[in-house]
Amino acid sequence: MVDWGKNNGFTLTSLFAGDKFARMKKNYTANNLSITLDMAGSFVYTKISYPVRYGVFNEIRTPDQLLHFNLNGEIIRAVGRTRQWIHPNEWLKRTPGNDWVYYSNGGYTGVFEAMGEYYLPNLQYPTNALIGGKPFRETCVSDLVEDWYQRLMALQTSTKNLPEPMARFLAQALQNTPDRLQEKAKKLFSISGGRVTVMPPDARHVDYDIIPLFISLGCLYKCRFCRVKTEHPFALNTEDEIVGQLTRLKALYGRDLANYNSLFLGEHDALAAGRNLIVFAVEKALEILAFDQGNMKGSNLFLFGSVDSLLDTDPDLFNRLNTLVSKTYINIGLESADQATLDHLGKPITVAQVIQAFDTMQKINDQYQNIEITANFVMDETLPKDHVPAFLRLVRERVSHTKPKGAIYLSPLSINHPSREMMFTFNRLKCLSRLPTFLYIIQRL
Ligand code: SF4
């Protein structure tokens, strides 16, 4: 039994003194238990080979586990601290959609080259990952996912005379039961009218911490091969609906909104919503969600586009986005530069359009410092034979020199089919491409 009244160490530590984000963290330590409130992680998204935590959060540390909670007292991260845990640098993250994702380092072999990130998200649901293990089959991982709440209850039972801020935090964390977290995820989906079934690959730059705002529904093409398409025809949301979503998102994210600086405009082709609605939505989001008053520095915007929506875009949209947010990422589904492959996929566009869209991407990426247009291509052993040569004609022959911007994502078509041969093909294409080239793992919010 831990007696906080007698034995706690109480410290107030000023973090980032002089910084506008300066805040006081409160730490209480007794015996084998440590609770830290308002712990500050990094306020800038970064790529580094050790685990980085972002924003401000609360931590409970015992000899067996490390649990992190957001500013609403909702669990967001868990790490085992026993010898059974797979690797001390790996962790579980709980998403706003209430999925647990296991971040592994893949032995540091090839994860960064393949993903552009040092840690690989391993998902509990079927996806198209070519690399990664089966961490959820490890007892230490599945137990933590299943038991974290019971462990939290046991912790409360075994402590007494907890200082008031800690008691308040623990009570709040216990109110956020697994059922309640699931309900909250459902509320999030209902705000937009549906779940984000696929996040843009570029969301990796902010560890997938994106707030979803649907300005449109569906997409233009309904390609035969696509597993994430919706049945309803492409449609726009009204300005009133957009403001309504933002107001409800602000209430739902609550205090933890301070840890977000990135917006995802849904659904599958927000670029087709056109300049006026996109600018309206971004301006309203910046006003209502107030990223500039949060912990994370800068602001980011993510959206999907299509060949037609990119080619039809009013160029003034790029002028506006270039200054409205710190960084905009628009991900375009090109899929293939070979007509036989496009037909095989049931994608109703021509190679000529794909090439034109690719050239437009290069121009925008060269012209606008704060905008990056990226593109997806499919990968599969069963595609027509000219798919790969046509891909290389674009990303090698059509680009005069190596560029650091305008990422190309290769998306395996097969689900739950890790393949060494496909990894070999990917590595070969990556070496030949003059644009940064990565794998795209389909991941939901
Ligand atoms: S690939 Fe894109 S455009 Fe095609 S059906 Fe899927 S979401 Fe729609």
Side-chain angles (χ1 to χ4, degrees):
M1 173 79 71
V2 177
D3 185 339
W4 287 95
K6 290 179 190 158
N7 205 14
N8 65 340
F10 176 76
T11 56
L12 286 174
T13 310
S14 174
L15 296 177
F16 304 102
D19 190 279
K20 80 168 182 164
F21 299 103
R23 55 174 65 230
M24 305 297 277
K25 82 171 179 181
K26 305 169 198 72
N27 173 256
Y28 302 80
T29 305
N31 297 340
N32 286 327
L33 181 60
S34 168
I35 299 182
T36 307
L37 302 186
D38 289 342
M39 200 164 182
S42 172
F43 295 152
V44 178
Y45 288 103
T46 184
K47 299 190 196 303
I48 203 150
S49 63
Y50 63 82
V52 184
R53 315 304 182 201
Y54 296 108
V56 177
F57 53 91
N58 304 309
E59 178 181 280
I60 294 178
R61 183 185 291 257
T62 73
D64 292 343
Q65 70 250 312
L66 190 69
L67 304 177
H68 284 170
F69 298 79
N70 67 17
L71 297 178
N72 299 325
E74 297 151 349
I75 192 162
I76 50 167
R77 205 157 29 242
V79 189
R81 300 188 71 220
T82 62
R83 292 182 64 184
Q84 285 72 41
W85 191 250
I86 302 172
H87 190 284
N89 279 2
E90 300 183 346
W91 70 97
L92 280 160
K93 175 179 176 177
R94 194 188 65 83
T95 70
N98 204 31
D99 285 324
W100 283 98
V101 179
Y102 185 88
Y103 280 73
S104 66
N105 61 31
Y108 301 110
T109 49
V111 169
F112 187 78
E113 288 73 16
M115 307 300 300
E117 304 296 317
Y118 284 96
Y119 290 88
L120 175 75
N122 294 264
L123 309 173
Q124 275 188 294
Y125 48 88
T127 190
N128 62 345
L130 287 185
I131 49 175
K134 306 248 180 261
F136 290 97
R137 290 193 186 165
E138 299 291 328
T139 310
C140 56
V141 174
S142 58
D143 280 357
L144 195 48
V145 169
E146 292 302 318
D147 295 350
W148 68 268
Y149 188 75
Q150 284 72 24
R151 297 182 196 194
L152 203 59
M153 283 200 294
L155 191 67
Q156 192 191 41
T157 312
S158 65
T159 55
K160 66 176 184 178
N161 295 331
L162 206 58
E164 198 276 333
M166 322 312 290
R168 198 159 11 101
F169 157 67
L170 204 49
Q172 186 191 32
L174 281 164
Q175 277 174 8
N176 290 312
T177 62
D179 285 348
R180 197 159 164 174
L181 294 172
Q182 185 58 36
E183 278 308 305
K184 187 160 180 179
K186 281 191 194 156
K187 270 190 200 158
L188 175 63
F189 307 151
S190 73
I191 289 175
S192 352
R195 183 171 202 163
V196 175
T197 51
V198 54
M199 290 189 278
D202 310 302
R204 67 189 174 87
H205 294 304
V206 298
D207 198 22
Y208 305 97
D209 293 334
I210 52 177
I211 294 186
L213 171 66
F214 279 29
I215 63 169
S216 62
L217 297 171
C219 65
L220 302 179
Y221 301 145
K222 314 291 181 205
C223 315
R224 195 170 50 240
F225 81 99
C226 175
R227 293 169 197 270
V228 298
K229 62 178 174 278
T230 50
E231 291 309 317
H232 50 76
F234 179 77
L236 300 181
N237 279 334
T238 64
E239 291 186 356
D240 283 351
E241 283 163 344
I242 289 168
V243 171
Q245 281 186 56
L246 284 167
T247 309
R248 285 189 286 153
L249 286 166
K250 181 179 178 176
L252 189 83
Y253 279 79
R255 282 193 65 214
D256 201 50
L257 186 57
N259 285 324
Y260 286 82
N261 70 349
S262 302
L263 181 72
F264 166 60
L265 292 185
E267 192 180 22
H268 295 145
D269 191 353
L271 191 60
R275 179 219 178 267
N276 291 350
L277 198 64
I278 294 172
V279 170
F280 172 84
V282 175
E283 284 178 338
K284 277 291 166 197
L286 293 175
E287 178 190 320
I288 294 173
L289 303 180
F291 292 151
D292 59 334
Q293 289 163 38
N295 299 321
M296 301 303 296
K297 293 188 176 172
S299 54
N300 302 288
L301 173 67
F302 299 89
L303 61 154
F304 285 115
S306 61
V307 164
D308 276 283
S309 62
L310 179 65
L311 295 178
D312 288 347
T313 296
D314 177 347
D316 187 55
L317 175 67
F318 301 117
N319 294 328
R320 295 288 291 122
L321 292 181
N322 200 42
T323 53
L324 262 179
V325 282
S326 312
K327 197 80 202 263
T328 296
Y329 298 90
I330 305 174
N331 180 251
I332 311 288
L334 297 183
E335 321 306 357
S336 181
D338 168 50
Q339 193 62 52
T341 305
L342 290 169
D343 297 344
H344 171 84
L345 296 170
K347 185 136 194 138
I349 53 175
T350 64
V351 168
Q353 287 175 294
V354 170
I355 293 172
Q356 202 186 344
F358 182 82
D359 290 345
T360 303
M361 284 173 52
Q362 306 314 311
K363 273 192 211 133
I364 294 167
N365 286 337
D366 290 345
Q367 187 176 347
Y368 296 98
Q369 193 180 357
N370 301 324
I371 297 178
E372 179 165 358
I373 315 272
T374 65
N376 300 335
F377 287 83
V378 292
M379 255 186 109
D380 199 69
E381 288 143 342
T382 61
L383 292 174
K385 63 176 178 25
D386 283 339
H387 172 60
V388 167
F391 171 77
L392 288 174
R393 279 197 294 279
L394 272 194
V395 300
R396 185 168 176 79
E397 293 168 26
R398 217 168 168 84
V399 181
S400 59
H401 56 277
T402 303
K403 292 183 177 181
K405 200 176 161 197
I408 299 296
Y409 293 96
L410 287 164
S411 180
L413 285 180
S414 301
I415 299 296
N416 279 358
H417 185 56
S419 155
R420 288 181 67 174
E421 290 75 30
M422 290 278 282
M423 271 311 287
F424 180 79
T425 304
F426 164 76
N427 285 325
R428 189 173 69 87
L429 297 180
K430 181 181 173 76
C431 286
L432 291 170
S433 171
R434 291 197 162 125
L435 295 168
T437 299
F438 304 105
L439 283 177
Y440 182 10
I441 297 180
I442 303 293
Q443 195 174 164
R444 68 192 186 190
L445 182 65

